[in-house]
Amino acid sequence: MISVSAVDKFFGPLHVLKDINLSVPRGQVLVVLGPSGSGKSTLCRAINRLEPINSGSIEVDGQPLPSEGKELARLRSDVGMVFQQFNLFAHKTIVENVMLGPIKVRRLPKEEARTLAMSLLERVGIANQSEKYPAQLSGGQQQRVAIARALAMKPKVMLFDEPTSALDPEMVQEVLDVMTDLAKEGMTMLVVTHEMGFARKAAHRVVFMADGEVVEDSTPEEFFTKPKSDRAKDFLGKIL
Ligand code: ADP
Ligand code: MG
């Protein structure tokens, strides 16, 4: 469903993605781990084409990434993205935040969009907050709205870039629970996270990145019990 081949990316002289190869089969969860600055966010942004790459290729559902126009809009709805910062529209209610994409991009009639939004808010456990504004919700609730908003586009894959890093500790689990449910329902997911419990339980594969390279690509079992590289051992030593 996601295929990244020989991808290189530079920011000026800085080589931030170095010959990256990875793939996520349909229905699988890939967790990407690695120290800050290793290129994890850049990789996510490249898959959504928020960042152009310098060489290599990326395919989503067998299609190379389009560079512009209608095709790019379609890619963006096929690839749902959830960031550390939820970026909800502050002056719109929760349900309106979720309805917006379906109305604007998928051209759904308003009432249909509302029905869809309410069912997704139900799914992430906050239907009862639908008429509130983002600032009236906790961080964990806002992040669940952001997940519902991404799902409203009927994505084929979901990318999560440190979705719980900005949350107070007591709110982390409610967001991870929603992600775990999504994974169980068969969503194809690429998840950048420092939540090792989630990685162990939900990941089909773990990719460890450092300095712009994929250093390890293994099962969670292998990675957590016998990491091969010194860099991974060092990382795990610091985080566990
Ligand atoms: P991670 O998400 O693993 O912390 P990033 O992908 O954010 O890593 O960053 C990888 C490297 O690219 C870092 O050295 C970072 O400073 C650099 N970088 C990220 N975005 C930009 C940008 N827009 N311009 C220049 N350098 C950037
Ligand atoms: Mg990052």
Side-chain angles (χ1 to χ4, degrees):
M1 188 57 95
I2 304 174
S3 167
V4 175
S5 313
V7 165
D8 281 279
K9 166 75 184 173
F10 294 83
F11 284 117
L14 200 61
H15 198 177
V16 292
L17 295 178
K18 300 172 184 165
D19 188 28
I20 300 291
N21 294 281
L22 56 85
S23 61
V24 192
R26 190 183 301 270
Q28 294 219 345
V29 178
L30 174 72
V31 166
V32 179
L33 304 174
S36 175
S38 53
K40 307 179 300 295
S41 293
T42 305
L43 174 65
C44 286
R45 293 169 57 79
I47 294 170
N48 210 3
R49 215 167 184 304
L50 292 168
E51 285 295 350
I53 55 178
N54 295 96
S55 60
S57 67
I58 300 178
E59 291 185 359
V60 172
D61 197 17
Q63 303 290 322
L65 294 195
S67 53
E68 56 194 14
K70 250 197 235 152
E71 293 298 298
L72 183 57
R74 191 188 44 75
L75 170 79
R76 294 262 164 80
S77 44
D78 282 350
V79 182
M81 182 126 186
V82 175
F83 303 90
Q84 185 172 329
Q85 299 303 337
F86 342 114
N87 300 321
L88 299 175
F89 290 106
H91 58 285
K92 295 205 180 287
T93 64
I94 296 308
V95 68
E96 286 168 351
N97 265 277
V98 180
M99 290 165 64
L100 214 59
I103 291 173
K104 289 230 149 121
V105 181
R106 294 180 54 219
R107 307 259 169 233
L108 247 58
K110 209 167 170 188
E111 279 321 300
E112 224 172 290
R114 181 176 293 274
T115 306
L116 170 68
M118 287 308 297
S119 73
L120 290 168
L121 289 172
E122 190 79 50
R123 186 159 156 196
V124 300
I126 33 180
N128 58 351
Q129 311 287 321
S130 64
E131 299 308 317
K132 291 189 178 168
Y133 287 86
Q136 296 173 283
L137 269 57
S138 71
Q141 290 173 323
Q142 289 188 58
Q143 191 59 302
R144 286 186 281 150
V145 175
I147 294 172
R149 178 181 57 179
L151 292 175
M153 303 303 285
K154 305 271 182 203
K156 292 178 178 169
V157 310
M158 286 282 283
L159 309 179
F160 292 87
D161 189 4
E162 301 201 31
T164 60
S165 296
L167 300 177
D168 291 335
E170 72 272 22
M171 289 165 193
V172 168
Q173 197 55 46
E174 65 193 53
V175 173
L176 295 178
D177 286 346
V178 168
M179 292 165 61
T180 303
D181 285 347
L182 258 186
K184 282 190 187 137
E185 289 160 21
M187 178 62 80
T188 307
M189 299 172 32
L190 186 155
V191 183
V192 178
T193 186
H194 295 296
E195 293 296 327
M196 297 299 140
F198 178 83
R200 274 173 190 267
K201 272 186 282 177
H204 295 95
R205 291 195 78 75
V206 169
V207 158
F208 174 71
M209 287 180 69
D211 296 328
E213 288 177 81
V214 170
V215 177
E216 304 210 16
D217 183 343
S218 49
T219 64
E221 169 71 15
E222 279 170 350
F223 183 75
F224 288 109
T225 58
K226 32 182 180 332
K228 293 185 273 293
S229 64
D230 287 341
R231 281 190 286 189
K233 285 177 197 160
D234 183 50
F235 175 78
L236 286 170
K238 281 182 188 140
I239 207 156
L240 292 178

